[in-house]
Each structure stands twice: as structure tokens, then as C-alpha cells.
Amino acid sequence: MNVTYQFRFEDNRSVDFKVTDQPAVAKANLPAWTKLDHCQCSNCPLKVSESPQCPAAVKILPVVNQFQAEDAYQKVDVVVTDDRRTYSKSTTLEEALRSLLGLKMATSGCPVLSELKPMAVHHLPFASNDEFIMRSVSHYLLQQYLAKRNHQEPDWDLKGLVERNQRLQLVNQALWQRIHSVCKGDSNLKALLNFFSMASSVSFSLESQLRKLQAKMQGDGAA
């Protein structure tokens, strides 16, 4: 996987970020907030002796450093290019960062966030909440179908999906606390909070979200 995010600001600044499916390599002299035991997730399975740095924090570090003092609501033009196609959008920095940070976290090597890595392979930039729900549920149901084909017990009631997103929420909360200690602006914080709210919608209100999608799909069918 090779994805490039190019940010162009109204003052003509341009910043690029490349994302691959390989975890970032922890270098020397990293800031204290990237250490594993700094605001460590309550459900983190890693040990400091084995992984001194948090994989997700190391992966998103360049983005946090670049945008920590930026205004979340400023307008940016963003072009996202992968191996198959190019996406572009004029939007707020917050929405663009939500998309970029989500991709980076899923490919960071974090054992919990790695549950999102299969979805990251088919990354959809700037996904709305409805699209996030649709993709999450569709991908999970495909996994259950493949499990059934392999003579395993499928989970058609989506209980595992809700449990997965509850695990992800704990990680998002801890990452928010990490970044809160270093951000002068609000862009990274807003992006993580927005990402967190999307995961929450799966955990706490999946049934209502599905009813909304059902109504929209039936409405489209009637049209």
C-alpha cells in the first residue's frame, strides 16, 4: 500500500505525507509523549521492555509535529493518491487530518488498531459517518462469510464488531491524551475527537445507525 496526502494551504504552503502498510521505525531522541508508558492504553497488550515506544504515537508523530499549532477549521486543498486512483477535496484541515490519522493509526503496528488494517488497504479518504458505518459493517460481514466458508462460527449479529470498536475507543482516548499534552492549536485534537466519535457510533448506536442506512437505502430504491 502506498498512499500520498498532499496538503496545500491558502498561503500556498504545501506539505506531503506518504503512508505505507509498514510500521514506522522508532528513532532515537523521540519526544516523551511517544513512550509506551505515557498515557498507555488501558487495553494495551504491549510491554515497555519489548516496545519502549507506542507504535501508533511513532507513526503519527510527523503529522502531530507538522500541524500541532494549526487552526483546525482553516481551509486546505487536499489531494490523495494511491496505486489505483486520485481523490481531491477542498475542506477543513480537521477533516483531512481525521482521514490521514485514521490511515496512519491502522497501519502503525499497534496490536489493537491493526484490526482496522484490512479496511485501510481499501482506504476511502474523507469518509462520512454513514460511509464509515457502511464500510465497517460490510467488511465485518464479509469476514463472517469467509469464516463460515472455513467452517467457523460466523457472527451475523455484529456483536464482535461492537466489541472491536469498544477496544478502539480506549485506544483513541489514550492517543487523544497523548496529543493533548503537546498541541498548541486544535487541529490534531479535533481530528482525533472526530475519529473517536465515529468509532463510538458503532459501539453505542449501531442499531440506530443501521436503521438510518436502511431508511436511506429504501428511499433510494423507491426513487
Side-chain angles (χ1 to χ4, degrees), residues 75-92:
K75 297 296 184 181
V76 291
D77 292 326
V78 186
V79 176
V80 183
T81 305
D82 61 24
D83 294 330
R84 297 176 297 276
R85 59 186 64 88
T86 297
Y87 307 81
S88 62
K89 186 173 184 178
S90 295
T91 184
T92 60

PDB file of all heavy atoms in Angstrom, residues 75-92:
ATOM      1  N   LYS A  75      -9.085  26.354   5.775  1.00  0.00           N
ATOM      2  CA  LYS A  75      -9.358  25.630   4.541  1.00  0.00           C
ATOM      3  C   LYS A  75      -8.054  25.140   3.914  1.00  0.00           C
ATOM      4  O   LYS A  75      -7.040  25.842   3.907  1.00  0.00           O
ATOM      5  CB  LYS A  75     -10.086  26.530   3.538  1.00  0.00           C
ATOM      6  CG  LYS A  75     -11.469  26.982   4.019  1.00  0.00           C
ATOM      7  CD  LYS A  75     -12.412  25.799   4.172  1.00  0.00           C
ATOM      8  CE  LYS A  75     -13.813  26.263   4.566  1.00  0.00           C
ATOM      9  NZ  LYS A  75     -14.738  25.110   4.729  1.00  0.00           N
ATOM     10  N   VAL A  76      -8.104  23.923   3.403  1.00  0.00           N
ATOM     11  CA  VAL A  76      -6.964  23.347   2.690  1.00  0.00           C
ATOM     12  C   VAL A  76      -7.484  22.597   1.468  1.00  0.00           C
ATOM     13  O   VAL A  76      -8.613  22.111   1.440  1.00  0.00           O
ATOM     14  CB  VAL A  76      -6.157  22.367   3.571  1.00  0.00           C
ATOM     15  CG1 VAL A  76      -5.434  23.089   4.681  1.00  0.00           C
ATOM     16  CG2 VAL A  76      -7.045  21.272   4.136  1.00  0.00           C
ATOM     17  N   ASP A  77      -6.640  22.538   0.449  1.00  0.00           N
ATOM     18  CA  ASP A  77      -6.898  21.678  -0.707  1.00  0.00           C
ATOM     19  C   ASP A  77      -6.058  20.429  -0.517  1.00  0.00           C
ATOM     20  O   ASP A  77      -4.837  20.515  -0.320  1.00  0.00           O
ATOM     21  CB  ASP A  77      -6.515  22.372  -2.016  1.00  0.00           C
ATOM     22  CG  ASP A  77      -7.421  23.552  -2.337  1.00  0.00           C
ATOM     23  OD1 ASP A  77      -8.619  23.470  -2.004  1.00  0.00           O
ATOM     24  OD2 ASP A  77      -6.938  24.548  -2.897  1.00  0.00           O
ATOM     25  N   VAL A  78      -6.696  19.274  -0.559  1.00  0.00           N
ATOM     26  CA  VAL A  78      -6.007  18.017  -0.289  1.00  0.00           C
ATOM     27  C   VAL A  78      -6.148  17.092  -1.487  1.00  0.00           C
ATOM     28  O   VAL A  78      -7.249  16.912  -2.019  1.00  0.00           O
ATOM     29  CB  VAL A  78      -6.573  17.325   0.964  1.00  0.00           C
ATOM     30  CG1 VAL A  78      -5.737  16.095   1.318  1.00  0.00           C
ATOM     31  CG2 VAL A  78      -6.610  18.282   2.136  1.00  0.00           C
ATOM     32  N   VAL A  79      -5.022  16.525  -1.910  1.00  0.00           N
ATOM     33  CA  VAL A  79      -5.015  15.529  -2.978  1.00  0.00           C
ATOM     34  C   VAL A  79      -4.459  14.237  -2.400  1.00  0.00           C
ATOM     35  O   VAL A  79      -3.375  14.225  -1.816  1.00  0.00           O
ATOM     36  CB  VAL A  79      -4.150  15.985  -4.174  1.00  0.00           C
ATOM     37  CG1 VAL A  79      -4.092  14.882  -5.237  1.00  0.00           C
ATOM     38  CG2 VAL A  79      -4.706  17.272  -4.765  1.00  0.00           C
ATOM     39  N   VAL A  80      -5.229  13.162  -2.533  1.00  0.00           N
ATOM     40  CA  VAL A  80      -4.829  11.854  -2.020  1.00  0.00           C
ATOM     41  C   VAL A  80      -4.639  10.917  -3.208  1.00  0.00           C
ATOM     42  O   VAL A  80      -5.558  10.730  -4.008  1.00  0.00           O
ATOM     43  CB  VAL A  80      -5.884  11.275  -1.061  1.00  0.00           C
ATOM     44  CG1 VAL A  80      -5.401   9.944  -0.480  1.00  0.00           C
ATOM     45  CG2 VAL A  80      -6.198  12.267   0.053  1.00  0.00           C
ATOM     46  N   THR A  81      -3.460  10.360  -3.297  1.00  0.00           N
ATOM     47  CA  THR A  81      -3.136   9.482  -4.426  1.00  0.00           C
ATOM     48  C   THR A  81      -2.716   8.118  -3.910  1.00  0.00           C
ATOM     49  O   THR A  81      -1.876   8.014  -3.005  1.00  0.00           O
ATOM     50  CB  THR A  81      -1.996  10.073  -5.270  1.00  0.00           C
ATOM     51  OG1 THR A  81      -2.346  11.394  -5.679  1.00  0.00           O
ATOM     52  CG2 THR A  81      -1.740   9.220  -6.507  1.00  0.00           C
ATOM     53  N   ASP A  82      -3.321   7.063  -4.466  1.00  0.00           N
ATOM     54  CA  ASP A  82      -2.864   5.709  -4.150  1.00  0.00           C
ATOM     55  C   ASP A  82      -2.483   5.007  -5.450  1.00  0.00           C
ATOM     56  O   ASP A  82      -2.351   5.652  -6.490  1.00  0.00           O
ATOM     57  CB  ASP A  82      -3.917   4.923  -3.355  1.00  0.00           C
ATOM     58  CG  ASP A  82      -5.230   4.737  -4.113  1.00  0.00           C
ATOM     59  OD1 ASP A  82      -5.227   4.778  -5.362  1.00  0.00           O
ATOM     60  OD2 ASP A  82      -6.270   4.529  -3.455  1.00  0.00           O
ATOM     61  N   ASP A  83      -2.307   3.697  -5.400  1.00  0.00           N
ATOM     62  CA  ASP A  83      -1.850   2.969  -6.573  1.00  0.00           C
ATOM     63  C   ASP A  83      -2.920   2.833  -7.642  1.00  0.00           C
ATOM     64  O   ASP A  83      -2.626   2.416  -8.771  1.00  0.00           O
ATOM     65  CB  ASP A  83      -1.366   1.560  -6.174  1.00  0.00           C
ATOM     66  CG  ASP A  83      -0.130   1.609  -5.306  1.00  0.00           C
ATOM     67  OD1 ASP A  83       0.662   2.558  -5.459  1.00  0.00           O
ATOM     68  OD2 ASP A  83       0.038   0.704  -4.465  1.00  0.00           O
ATOM     69  N   ARG A  84      -4.152   3.193  -7.323  1.00  0.00           N
ATOM     70  CA  ARG A  84      -5.249   2.981  -8.270  1.00  0.00           C
ATOM     71  C   ARG A  84      -5.891   4.272  -8.767  1.00  0.00           C
ATOM     72  O   ARG A  84      -6.303   4.355  -9.905  1.00  0.00           O
ATOM     73  CB  ARG A  84      -6.333   2.102  -7.611  1.00  0.00           C
ATOM     74  CG  ARG A  84      -5.850   0.708  -7.243  1.00  0.00           C
ATOM     75  CD  ARG A  84      -6.921  -0.089  -6.512  1.00  0.00           C
ATOM     76  NE  ARG A  84      -7.287   0.506  -5.234  1.00  0.00           N
ATOM     77  CZ  ARG A  84      -6.611   0.300  -4.101  1.00  0.00           C
ATOM     78  NH1 ARG A  84      -5.548  -0.476  -4.093  1.00  0.00           N
ATOM     79  NH2 ARG A  84      -6.991   0.874  -2.977  1.00  0.00           N
ATOM     80  N   ARG A  85      -5.968   5.289  -7.904  1.00  0.00           N
ATOM     81  CA  ARG A  85      -6.705   6.483  -8.302  1.00  0.00           C
ATOM     82  C   ARG A  85      -6.282   7.683  -7.463  1.00  0.00           C
ATOM     83  O   ARG A  85      -5.506   7.543  -6.525  1.00  0.00           O
ATOM     84  CB  ARG A  85      -8.218   6.258  -8.176  1.00  0.00           C
ATOM     85  CG  ARG A  85      -8.671   5.893  -6.790  1.00  0.00           C
ATOM     86  CD  ARG A  85     -10.157   5.530  -6.752  1.00  0.00           C
ATOM     87  NE  ARG A  85     -10.432   4.341  -7.547  1.00  0.00           N
ATOM     88  CZ  ARG A  85     -10.353   3.097  -7.060  1.00  0.00           C
ATOM     89  NH1 ARG A  85      -9.984   2.898  -5.798  1.00  0.00           N
ATOM     90  NH2 ARG A  85     -10.630   2.067  -7.817  1.00  0.00           N
ATOM     91  N   THR A  86      -6.871   8.844  -7.801  1.00  0.00           N
ATOM     92  CA  THR A  86      -6.583  10.094  -7.085  1.00  0.00           C
ATOM     93  C   THR A  86      -7.887  10.708  -6.595  1.00  0.00           C
ATOM     94  O   THR A  86      -8.881  10.747  -7.328  1.00  0.00           O
ATOM     95  CB  THR A  86      -5.859  11.092  -7.999  1.00  0.00           C
ATOM     96  OG1 THR A  86      -4.604  10.546  -8.390  1.00  0.00           O
ATOM     97  CG2 THR A  86      -5.624  12.420  -7.306  1.00  0.00           C
ATOM     98  N   TYR A  87      -7.871  11.163  -5.356  1.00  0.00           N
ATOM     99  CA  TYR A  87      -9.009  11.858  -4.768  1.00  0.00           C
ATOM    100  C   TYR A  87      -8.571  13.297  -4.460  1.00  0.00           C
ATOM    101  O   TYR A  87      -7.417  13.534  -4.116  1.00  0.00           O
ATOM    102  CB  TYR A  87      -9.433  11.221  -3.445  1.00  0.00           C
ATOM    103  CG  TYR A  87      -9.690   9.735  -3.487  1.00  0.00           C
ATOM    104  CD1 TYR A  87      -8.635   8.826  -3.417  1.00  0.00           C
ATOM    105  CD2 TYR A  87     -10.986   9.233  -3.558  1.00  0.00           C
ATOM    106  CE1 TYR A  87      -8.861   7.460  -3.428  1.00  0.00           C
ATOM    107  CE2 TYR A  87     -11.226   7.865  -3.571  1.00  0.00           C
ATOM    108  CZ  TYR A  87     -10.159   6.985  -3.509  1.00  0.00           C
ATOM    109  OH  TYR A  87     -10.378   5.628  -3.514  1.00  0.00           O
ATOM    110  N   SER A  88      -9.497  14.232  -4.546  1.00  0.00           N
ATOM    111  CA  SER A  88      -9.171  15.608  -4.162  1.00  0.00           C
ATOM    112  C   SER A  88     -10.382  16.250  -3.506  1.00  0.00           C
ATOM    113  O   SER A  88     -11.533  15.920  -3.835  1.00  0.00           O
ATOM    114  CB  SER A  88      -8.737  16.433  -5.383  1.00  0.00           C
ATOM    115  OG  SER A  88      -9.793  16.527  -6.323  1.00  0.00           O
ATOM    116  N   LYS A  89     -10.096  17.156  -2.567  1.00  0.00           N
ATOM    117  CA  LYS A  89     -11.188  17.837  -1.888  1.00  0.00           C
ATOM    118  C   LYS A  89     -10.688  19.130  -1.271  1.00  0.00           C
ATOM    119  O   LYS A  89      -9.586  19.182  -0.715  1.00  0.00           O
ATOM    120  CB  LYS A  89     -11.786  16.943  -0.793  1.00  0.00           C
ATOM    121  CG  LYS A  89     -13.028  17.538  -0.134  1.00  0.00           C
ATOM    122  CD  LYS A  89     -13.693  16.556   0.811  1.00  0.00           C
ATOM    123  CE  LYS A  89     -14.983  17.149   1.372  1.00  0.00           C
ATOM    124  NZ  LYS A  89     -15.692  16.205   2.277  1.00  0.00           N
ATOM    125  N   SER A  90     -11.512  20.174  -1.375  1.00  0.00           N
ATOM    126  CA  SER A  90     -11.278  21.404  -0.624  1.00  0.00           C
ATOM    127  C   SER A  90     -12.087  21.288   0.656  1.00  0.00           C
ATOM    128  O   SER A  90     -13.319  21.172   0.613  1.00  0.00           O
ATOM    129  CB  SER A  90     -11.731  22.626  -1.436  1.00  0.00           C
ATOM    130  OG  SER A  90     -10.938  22.768  -2.598  1.00  0.00           O
ATOM    131  N   THR A  91     -11.404  21.304   1.782  1.00  0.00           N
ATOM    132  CA  THR A  91     -12.091  21.008   3.033  1.00  0.00           C
ATOM    133  C   THR A  91     -11.370  21.695   4.188  1.00  0.00           C
ATOM    134  O   THR A  91     -10.471  22.512   3.974  1.00  0.00           O
ATOM    135  CB  THR A  91     -12.143  19.474   3.255  1.00  0.00           C
ATOM    136  OG1 THR A  91     -12.892  19.195   4.433  1.00  0.00           O
ATOM    137  CG2 THR A  91     -10.748  18.882   3.384  1.00  0.00           C
ATOM    138  N   THR A  92     -11.759  21.372   5.406  1.00  0.00           N
ATOM    139  CA  THR A  92     -11.065  21.889   6.579  1.00  0.00           C
ATOM    140  C   THR A  92      -9.871  20.994   6.891  1.00  0.00           C
ATOM    141  O   THR A  92      -9.856  19.800   6.566  1.00  0.00           O
ATOM    142  CB  THR A  92     -11.995  21.925   7.798  1.00  0.00           C
ATOM    143  OG1 THR A  92     -12.460  20.598   8.077  1.00  0.00           O
ATOM    144  CG2 THR A  92     -13.184  22.846   7.544  1.00  0.00           C
TER     145      THR A  92
END
